[in-house]
Amino acid sequence: MATATRKKTTRKKTTRKKTTTRRAKTDKKVYYFGPSKTDGDGSMKQLLGGKGANLAEMTDIGLPVPPGFTVTTETCADYYKVGGKLPAGLMDEVRENMKRMERDTGKKFGSDSDPLLVSVRSGAAASMPGMMDTVLNLGLTDKSLDGLQSATGKTRFALDAYRRLINMFGDVVMGVDHHAFEDEFDRIKKKHNAATDNDLGVEGMEELVDAYKKVYKKHTGEQFPQDPYVQLEKSLEAVFKSWNTPRAIRYRQINEITGLQGTAVNIQTMVFGNMGDDSGTGVAFTRDPSTGKNEFYGEFLINAQGEDVVAGIRTPKPVKEMPRWDRRSYDQLIKIKTKLEKHYKDVQDLEFTIERKKLYILQTRNGKRTGPAAVKIACDMVKERLIDQKTAVLRVPPNDLNQLLLPSLDPKAKRDVIAEGLPASPGAAVGKLAFTAAEAADRTQDGEKVLLVRRETSPEDIDGMHAAQGILTSTGGMTSHAAVVARGWGKPCVAGAGAIHIDEKKRKITVNGRTFTAKDTLTLDGGTGQVLAGEIATIEPKLSGDFATLMKWADRMRTLKVRTNADTPEDSQRARDFGAEGIGLCRTEHMFFEGSRIKAMREMIVAETEAARRKALDKLLPYQREDFIGIFTAMKGLPVTVRLLDPPLHEFLPHDAKAQQDLAKTLGIKPAKLKQRVAELHEMNPMLGHRGCRLAVTYPEILEMQVRAIVEAAMACQKKKVQAKPEIMIPLVGTAEELDLLRGLAEQTIASVKKEHKHKGRLDISIGTMIEIPRAALTADDIAEHADFFSFGTNDLTQLTFGYSRDDVGTFLGDYLAKELLPKDPFQSLDATGVGQLVAMGCEKGRKTKKDLKLGICGEHGGDPSSVEFCHKVGLDYVSCSPFRVPIARLAAAQAAVRNSK
Ligand code: ADP
Ligand code: MG
Ligand code: MG
């Protein structure tokens, strides 16, 4: 016994090692799982796909998994490499493994006594629910049909299985239009007076099988294949092909799944949930994936095949009701829940089928969950000692915290509940009704907020589902397609609101006598399942409980500091509440747009002499000072990096003729003069030209005014016992000389303002620059001579390194992403290979000159988890991001520290 166990672990270790140390390419294309042997294990997701790897792992830990085998993802890649042909030798290996399956099950593929039937299932390394096609009941032929009938004693069941196979094989493998089969089904049901599918008796079923064969022949020009190996080979190829269908490609794009080589194919012994009332099928989560509550959670259908639950055709029953139907299977399932969680140390999402009271597990994977559920589960599992704090911190995808930071419906607001469905994915969504996925996508593109309303959703709908604010379905359960996909994205969803009748053609819904059209606004409460008329008020989230606990752990683990980009006292305060440790970027230009400020600003811009400019600047000074006082006060002693004026001046002037005329009047100048000034200031390319520190070179008085405002604001705060810590940041520096000049000017101004106000005591104001021009990164050692800090402005640095504009994301960059020329939008996620090199170089050269040079980043990337990891690795002191992303950056920084320790 002891030796046997030891032997087993050794075998496992060696397989594990094989995959982690870049497996030398072997010829092995097929991995078996079953009672006689298991070739793979759970660590081999890249090669066997998630489904295949876990089927092997579950077999290994003794769960009741029907035996089968997995054709590797590498084989799929090879299939595409040779232009869409099954690799040589594959079918031989498949046949060998089929023989083993026959021995393990005691049945024979295609036999006329007790035939072995199989399913052909896809499964890539990343889960793509329902994105690719599955064929069930494969191996049925005229001959084996007799075998199935006599072995089970169930003629109708056997016929039903056969007609399903002809339909699925025809549809999925041969591309026969599904409706061609449906029409025949309807015709025959009518003829036999059968109201539902289940009412059709043996005679009708026999007719149906014949009719389906004819449909098959008519659309394919061939007979339905009577050689089970032909069925198998063609299905295998169909799964490979399904990897590159438009909907699969689109799904990978939306979910940013890249770098996979293809799908694996699982061939598995069929078990039947549709053999009568002692059979059934279901889907379950080991914990509630919406709330995270530690409660077995799922649904089942009696006398049904797996597809029926997911497709949302019949609304299933909650698993809680299972004991009344089959207590033994339920108890066994609960034991399996605990075993799976202990083994995988995470929430599992599993598929099960009961064939004549015997339970089988058909799939397990880590369960997709909402942000709030992820946080609760991580904290609970630490309490239960299933995982440690570090693992808990790694468990929550930082971006999912978004869902905890969003407003929720005000419980005090009045609710006009028009219908109730299942609380499939929490959160509040408000929008007008859209009746097709395409409509939802189009109207969202046009700037509308819409809710997608469907009877049920299917994988073709994902674009519109993604675009919509929320999803409402009238059929289907908590594990229907709509529910699973919505939870994955953290998008609010109410499913199975049966009282709602959807009229897609007339584009309206009716519910209890009330009608709502595309013009009406509804609110979905995904947390309760309520559908409400009108728009309901929302409240700010609470940042306590498990969220606070997790963030406390994260803060202890991280070394990167997190600042925020804010330019109003309100944003500064919010960011502080979210845990910001300073402001990394306070843009000053936004301060010039409000109310009467813009007038003074425009006066300054059109002024023709320095004296006139100074006069206008004097009007701006008090505004600017007040703004800084507000921000310094909100930040209570935390550092605030103020960036001096950055955009080109024409951005502050009106561009249409009418507005220009009005402005000329207010400013008391000739319209022609103003027009000329606007033309002078126009930039051909707003990324280049007269902006950033170049403005201060031409108009030093602008810099003087801004620095004066900063110093005076800091002094005013000191008087009120608020310790202000301003840092002056000079933008768009490309040469050391520029910074040398402007730093001198700023220092002079600081000194003279202090003198003017007879300031005593400490007031340290550091002066640094943004590194956002490639030349600045290349000469960072020289620039550092004049800088107390660097802040990498990775938005501009990305624009200037790639030569892309940020606006290109809306045009050709879309094609680049679709064709995987770029792994991700480089404006969202820092391009570590290219732009990252400049950042790394800037850090290294800068610190060579000044050991204690403070380094940060203030582009959009500061709130993107993978970019944060990069910042951690190159040794920045802090990242800075928008207030709502502060918690995300804190968590990402902790994850980076944990992953990169050791
Ligand atoms: P997906 O990845 O879309 O969930 P699956 O391969 O899991 O596709 O299969 C679709 C449905 O068919 C599931 O409900 C699954 O449980 C069921 N199914 C697959 N293989 C078998 C089998 N061997 N016996 C019974 N049901 C099966
Ligand atoms: Mg599945
Ligand atoms: Mg910039």
Side-chain angles (χ1 to χ4, degrees), residues 51 66-67 117-123 128-137 266-273 281-283 305-310 351-353 362-363 365:
K51 199 180 283 170
L117 302 187
V118 298
S119 63
V120 178
R121 322 171 63 186
S122 63
M128 303 169 58
M131 289 317 298
M132 288 178 293
D133 297 314
T134 301
V135 183
L136 302 177
N137 308 338
N266 302 288
I267 318 270
Q268 189 177 24
T269 308
M270 276 305 297
V271 289
F272 296 99
T281 185
V283 189
Q305 273 202 328
E307 293 285 73
D308 306 347
V309 182
V310 187
E351 289 174 4
F352 62 90
T353 282
L362 289 170
Q363 187 174 338
R365 60 181 172 216

Side-chain angles (χ1 to χ4, degrees), residues 339-356:
K339 187 164 184 173
L340 279 174
E341 277 203 349
K342 271 223 168 89
H343 185 77
Y344 285 98
K345 306 209 184 307
D346 200 356
V347 174
Q348 295 298 298
D349 163 0
L350 52 123
E351 289 174 4
F352 62 90
T353 282
I354 296 163
E355 177 181 317
R356 292 176 157 173

Side-chain angles (χ1 to χ4, degrees), residues 635-859:
M635 293 314 284
K636 294 187 209 73
L638 295 177
V640 176
T641 306
V642 179
R643 178 180 70 182
L644 302 185
L645 192 64
D646 184 54
L649 295 180
H650 75 93
E651 284 187 11
F652 297 95
L653 295 179
H655 286 94
D656 64 295
K658 172 84 177 58
Q660 283 183 7
Q661 250 162 24
D662 290 351
L663 178 63
K665 217 188 216 155
T666 7
L667 295 180
I669 56 173
K670 287 212 182 75
K673 188 122 226 177
L674 181 68
K675 207 171 153 202
Q676 187 200 335
R677 184 69 181 141
V678 173
E680 269 168 34
L681 290 172
H682 176 75
E683 295 290 352
M684 281 306 287
N685 182 339
M687 283 199 294
L688 311 177
H690 203 185
R691 49 176 293 225
C693 68
R694 301 157 199 173
L695 292 171
V697 170
T698 313
Y699 312 114
E701 53 279 7
I702 299 180
L703 177 145
E704 281 171 34
M705 183 281 284
Q706 291 201 291
V707 172
R708 171 177 291 270
I710 293 168
V711 181
E712 290 183 350
M715 292 190 311
C717 285
Q718 275 190 345
K719 282 211 185 99
K720 291 187 296 175
K721 297 265 179 296
V722 175
Q723 199 53 48
K725 256 205 211 152
E727 302 170 336
I728 293 173
M729 179 154 75
I730 295 172
L732 217 73
V733 160
T735 71
E737 289 75 11
E738 280 172 321
L739 186 60
D740 186 19
L741 172 77
L742 298 175
R743 179 183 184 115
L745 207 58
E747 281 175 340
Q748 260 172 35
T749 310
I750 295 172
S752 67
V753 175
K754 276 186 180 170
K755 206 165 143 208
E756 224 173 87
H757 289 262
K758 301 201 173 58
H759 178 82
K760 285 195 209 70
R762 286 189 63 133
L763 179 57
D764 299 327
I765 300 179
S766 56
I767 299 173
T769 183
M770 275 176 98
I771 304 288
E772 52 186 336
I773 288 185
R775 191 181 189 285
L778 296 167
T779 58
D781 41 356
D782 294 339
I783 290 179
E785 301 275 359
H786 311 286
D788 304 320
F789 64 86
F790 282 172
S791 176
F792 290 91
T794 46
N795 296 341
D796 273 319
L797 194 58
T798 300
Q799 299 198 85
L800 294 166
T801 303
F802 273 106
Y804 299 150
S805 145
R806 248 181 286 182
D807 302 329
D808 295 339
V809 176
T811 58
F812 70 89
L813 276 186
D815 303 330
Y816 274 55
L817 294 171
K819 295 190 174 161
E820 293 195 24
L821 296 183
L822 291 170
K824 278 182 187 175
D825 172 359
F827 291 102
Q828 258 174 40
S829 197
L830 188 79
D831 158 47
T833 350
V835 180
Q837 272 197 53
L838 287 168
V839 174
M841 179 188 289
C843 292
E844 207 186 295
K845 290 196 159 206
R847 284 214 169 119
K848 208 183 256 163
T849 304
K850 261 191 199 149
K851 227 175 66 213
D852 54 352
L853 186 73
K854 197 158 23 147
L855 300 173
I857 180 180
C858 61

